[in-house]
Amino acid sequence: MTVSRHPALTLDPVEAAESVDVESDMRSIGETARESGLTVSALRFYDGAGVFCPAWVDPQTGYRWYRTDQLADARLLCRLRRVGLPVAEIRLVLAAPPGSGEAHRVLDRHLRRLEDGLSDARRELSAVRTLIDQRESPMSSSTTRTAATRFTVGAADLAAALDAVRFAAAEDSEHPVLGGVLFDVEGSVLRVVATDRYRMAVSQAAVPALEGPGASTVVPVPVVDGIRALLAGGGEVTLTLDGDRVVLEATAGRRLEGAALEGDFPDYRRLTRIEASHRTDVPASVLREAVAGGACRTVHEGHEIVLLSVGPGGTVGVVAEDGGAGGDGRGPADGTRIAVNRQYLLEAIGAGAPEQLVLETGSPITPLAIRDAGNDGTFSILMPVRLP
């Protein structure tokens, strides 16, 4: 039996999918599921989430019908789901205007997250293997130390990296581990990181030669300053990270050894995964002049706060508090406004003496990233301040 045209007159959704004579360009939810690789329950979920909706829903049975030209998006959705793209970002990909590049930017951000996650997993699994080996050989583990990590790095490269992050180390914190700089070596890269919880600075240097496993050690600021002083001779230096010790061997037989800090350093990889919606290039001198001479507001404990305006046309400046920003932190024409500590911003601008900077912003309540345009691996992150 064939019921004329309307699924509303059928007995139930299952029978409707098999017995209804519908338009040739329409497919039932079951057919769409089979042809796209999605399940029926997944199609219902994405409809409810407003990500992928049917062309028509029967008002009496609630049965969903899809156009033939929706299959391409359904198959794309299936693949995005397989790689774990979050629902909100799937929505952005499907809604992206053709030729805008927005869909590719979403995928690039997700790929970076996956790569960072894989790097984190490898690091953790390496540590787990060491613990398993110690557990399986209890007699040897009590009398032997974990293998030391020894590597060479260019003195000038290490000096530049330390200069780019030293300002962000905490001077007086209830967390002693923040009074140091993290030395994190893996493969051919050494990353150095400092943070006082209100800002974070990251830089890196190439590692031509590495002996031993990857390692992470927090080096106290006085030892960091001592290391920096021995880098003036140029050439290459050798660093050894050996449990609770760090050793630097420089040219002319100069050597420095110090104790590492104990404690868990913040997970900088997770904290630096910023979803920036705007990237703005600006000369460091121009931004420094604008911040130093612009309007500011003094808040608790005497901190000076500036309202940084990042315009959609690439303009950057400091505006007065009454410059017309709405409740969402956006002015009528001059883009996003972010309140930040002026001294912290000036230190981030000057760290490493870059000539050209790239500002990455998302919203007034998300961190501001300040990158060295000539070295994408060197950047600072400032937490925004909520003005009373």
Side-chain angles (χ1 to χ4, degrees):
M1 179 181 71
T2 300
V3 182
S4 62
R5 292 280 184 196
H6 230 284
L9 302 178
T10 61
L11 297 176
D12 61 78
V14 175
E15 292 182 1
E18 298 177 350
S19 62
V20 177
D21 180 17
V22 294
E23 298 288 346
S24 60
D25 68 339
M26 297 288 281
R27 280 171 166 72
S28 69
I29 190 171
E31 292 170 326
T32 304
R34 288 191 296 272
E35 296 183 40
S36 66
L38 293 166
T39 63
V40 170
S41 60
L43 286 168
R44 289 172 179 157
F45 168 78
Y46 288 117
D47 178 20
V51 174
F52 183 71
C53 303
W56 181 70
V57 179
D58 188 307
Q60 295 189 23
T61 66
Y63 202 69
R64 297 164 173 85
W65 294 87
Y66 297 82
R67 296 190 312 272
T68 300
D69 60 10
Q70 289 184 282
L71 276 176
D73 277 355
R75 289 166 178 157
L76 174 60
L77 171 55
C78 181
R79 291 186 175 273
L80 295 175
R81 189 168 184 249
R82 287 175 186 170
V83 298
L85 194 69
V87 171
E89 295 187 357
I90 290 177
R91 183 184 294 111
L92 291 177
V93 170
L94 296 181
S100 67
E102 177 59 26
H104 287 288
R105 286 191 287 273
V106 171
L107 297 182
D108 289 342
R109 290 196 296 267
H110 185 57
L111 181 58
R112 286 196 296 270
R113 287 197 300 266
L114 293 176
E115 290 172 342
D116 289 344
L118 179 58
S119 179
D120 293 345
R122 283 175 173 159
R123 184 186 306 278
E124 289 301 321
L125 286 173
S126 177
V128 167
R129 290 180 189 278
T130 300
L131 293 175
I132 290 175
D133 291 342
Q134 293 176 353
R135 180 172 177 266
E136 293 178 348
S137 305
M139 294 184 63
S140 61
S141 65
S142 63
T143 58
T144 60
R145 302 177 58 136
T146 302
T149 299
R150 181 182 175 89
F151 58 94
T152 59
V153 60
D157 292 343
L158 180 56
L162 293 178
D163 290 344
V165 306
R166 170 65 176 82
F167 75 96
E171 294 183 0
D172 183 16
S173 173
E174 59 183 9
H175 305 288
V177 73
L178 300 183
V181 174
L182 176 69
F183 282 50
D184 184 20
V185 61
E186 182 180 19
S188 61
V189 178
L190 167 68
R191 291 183 177 85
V192 291
V193 187
T195 181
D196 61 3
R197 294 189 305 167
Y198 304 103
R199 52 189 172 168
M200 175 176 284
V202 180
S203 191
Q204 64 184 40
V207 173
L210 171 66
E211 299 176 10
S216 295
T217 299
V218 183
V219 183
V221 162
V223 178
V224 169
D225 292 341
I227 290 174
R228 178 63 181 87
L230 294 181
L231 299 176
E236 286 189 342
V237 297
T238 300
L239 277 164
T240 301
L241 307 181
D242 187 7
D244 58 357
R245 298 184 309 127
V246 56
V247 179
L248 174 79
E249 298 169 81
T251 57
R254 293 176 297 175
R255 188 175 186 276
L256 183 147
E257 180 174 346
L261 289 174
E262 295 183 356
D264 293 329
F265 196 84
D267 183 359
Y268 74 93
R269 296 175 186 270
R270 179 179 60 82
L271 296 174
T272 55
R273 293 168 190 161
I274 299 176
E275 301 297 338
S277 55
H278 301 288
R279 286 174 60 95
T280 305
D281 291 5
V282 58
S285 59
V286 172
L287 183 58
R288 184 184 302 108
E289 182 178 353
V291 173
C296 70
R297 175 178 177 179
T298 302
V299 296
H300 63 284
E301 298 182 0
H303 293 293
E304 293 183 342
I305 305 301
V306 295
L307 196 58
L308 191 67
S309 172
V310 182
T315 58
V316 179
V318 173
V319 297
E321 183 184 353
D322 59 355
D328 60 354
R330 296 180 182 272
D334 46 3
T336 301
R337 293 176 175 177
I338 304 174
V340 293
N341 183 300
R342 175 154 75 173
Q343 183 60 36
Y344 290 175
L345 180 55
L346 286 172
E347 290 177 349
I349 293 170
E355 295 183 0
Q356 190 76 10
L357 297 172
V358 178
L359 301 186
E360 293 183 347
T361 57
S363 74
I365 60 173
T366 56
L368 167 69
I370 305 142
R371 294 187 181 274
D372 182 345
N375 182 2
D376 195 54
T378 296
F379 59 95
S380 303
I381 294 174
L382 301 184
M383 298 302 297
V385 177
R386 184 179 294 277
L387 293 174

